[in-house]
């Protein structure tokens, strides 16, 4: 079945620094979504990418969908303490009726 | 802010008990989902309902029984659970079963004694 892998599992970041988390799928995706889950909270939708090579920005967050639509990345610049949480990617495939398969998440810890 | 409400927030039960988790969405969505979130596993999709019809059962043990009486309400009936079933159970909804973003509730933290 479809697998979605995220690396790294944990990301320790100094406040003010940049970092990137990566998402890789074993199959070609129809779309990829990113969610953020704060400690003790629930996943909250951030963004959806559907086109090959698509890049979208939300303030300090930049999301990219790979040309082959099998990988994605989330880059955060000038990390702040409010960025703490776990970032999940979730991919859908047409063959699976666009059912989302979630990656294991990248847990981000920020050092002030 | 959440248009998806889950009750109870916490539940402790013995292995022989029967309990139910409730989810209600106020977003006018047609698809609803149950997920299991454990400490060491990714979000696991359990069930999908679209227009009240179950469209996905992700090989979930029969001790978990979902019910969707209408597009706004979703239940998860629990009986004879095992300690490994202790987890956060999240409900989500989306406009339809396609590529639409999912909106999650706060979850029910379930502990099996």
């Amino acid at each position: 079945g479809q697998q979605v892998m995220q690396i790294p599992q944990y990301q320790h970041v100094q406040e003010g620094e940049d970092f990137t988390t990566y998402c890789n799928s074993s199959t070609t995706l129809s779309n990829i979504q990113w969610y953020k889950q704060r400690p003790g909270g629930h996943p909250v939708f951030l963004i959806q990418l559907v086109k090959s090579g698509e890049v979208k920005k939300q303030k300090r967050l930049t999301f990219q969908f790979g040309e082959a639509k099998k990988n994605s990345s989330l880059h955060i610049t000038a990390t702040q303490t409010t960025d703490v949480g776990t970032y999940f990617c979730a991919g859908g495939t047409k063959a699976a009726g666009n059912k989302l398969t979630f990656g294991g998440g990248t847990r981000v810890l920020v050092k002030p | 802010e959440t248009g998806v409400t889950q009750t109870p927030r916490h539940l402790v039960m013995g292995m022989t008990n029967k309990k139910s988790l409730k989810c209600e969405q106020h977003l006018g969505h047609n698809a609803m989902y149950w997920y299991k979130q454990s400490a060491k596993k990714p979000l696991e999709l359990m069930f999908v309902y679209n227009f009240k019809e179950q469209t996905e059962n992700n090989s979930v043990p029969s001790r978990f029984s979902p019910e969707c009486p209408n597009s706004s309400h979703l239940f998860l009936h629990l009986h004879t659970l095992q300690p490994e079933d202790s987890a956060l159970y999240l409900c989500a909804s989306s406009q339809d079963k396609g590529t639409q973003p999912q909106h999650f509730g706060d979850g029910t933290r379930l502990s099996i004694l």
Side-chain angles (χ1 to χ4, degrees), chain A residues 58-101:
Chain A
Q58 287 182 351
K59 298 182 180 178
R60 296 178 294 103
L61 278 61
T62 301
F63 303 84
Q64 186 169 8
F65 203 5
E67 293 291 340
K69 300 182 74 173
K70 293 182 72 173
N71 56 71
S72 180
S73 64
L74 161 59
H75 181 77
I76 300 182
T77 59
T79 304
Q80 300 177 358
T81 55
T82 53
D83 295 325
V84 165
T86 301
Y87 294 82
F88 294 96
C89 65
T93 64
K94 290 181 181 177
N98 290 308
K99 177 184 71 174
L100 286 181
T101 298

Side-chain angles (χ1 to χ4, degrees), chain B:
Chain B
E1 161 279 318
T2 177
V4 180
T5 304
Q6 288 188 244
T7 55
R9 292 294 308 276
H10 301 272
L11 179 62
V12 179
M13 58 187 284
M15 289 191 284
T16 58
N17 292 156
K18 290 184 180 181
K19 296 286 185 183
S20 296
L21 309 185
K22 180 182 176 182
C23 176
E24 183 175 1
Q25 58 98 358
H26 311 275
L27 301 169
H29 289 167
N30 298 310
M32 295 188 77
Y33 312 79
W34 279 117
Y35 286 90
K36 176 183 179 182
Q37 187 173 40
S38 307
K40 298 186 177 181
K41 289 186 177 182
L43 269 167
E44 299 175 75
L45 179 65
M46 300 175 72
F47 302 103
V48 181
Y49 278 80
N50 197 37
F51 291 96
K52 302 189 300 178
E53 298 298 319
Q54 186 180 129
T55 59
E56 187 89 26
N57 177 338
N58 215 23
S59 303
V60 180
S62 59
R63 57 187 184 268
F64 295 91
S65 175
E67 178 189 1
C68 188
N70 54 62
S71 291
S72 299
H73 294 85
L74 186 63
F75 295 89
L76 188 62
H77 304 299
L78 317 171
H79 66 95
T80 324
L81 295 193
Q82 304 299 311
E84 61 265 27
D85 297 323
S86 297
L88 180 68
Y89 288 85
L90 290 160
C91 173
S93 71
S94 63
Q95 186 60 49
D96 56 44
K97 200 175 71 69
T99 61
Q100 300 301 312
Q102 294 183 16
H103 297 252
F104 286 80
D106 288 330
T108 295
R109 175 70 61 185
L110 177 65
S111 298
I112 306 301
L113 301 179

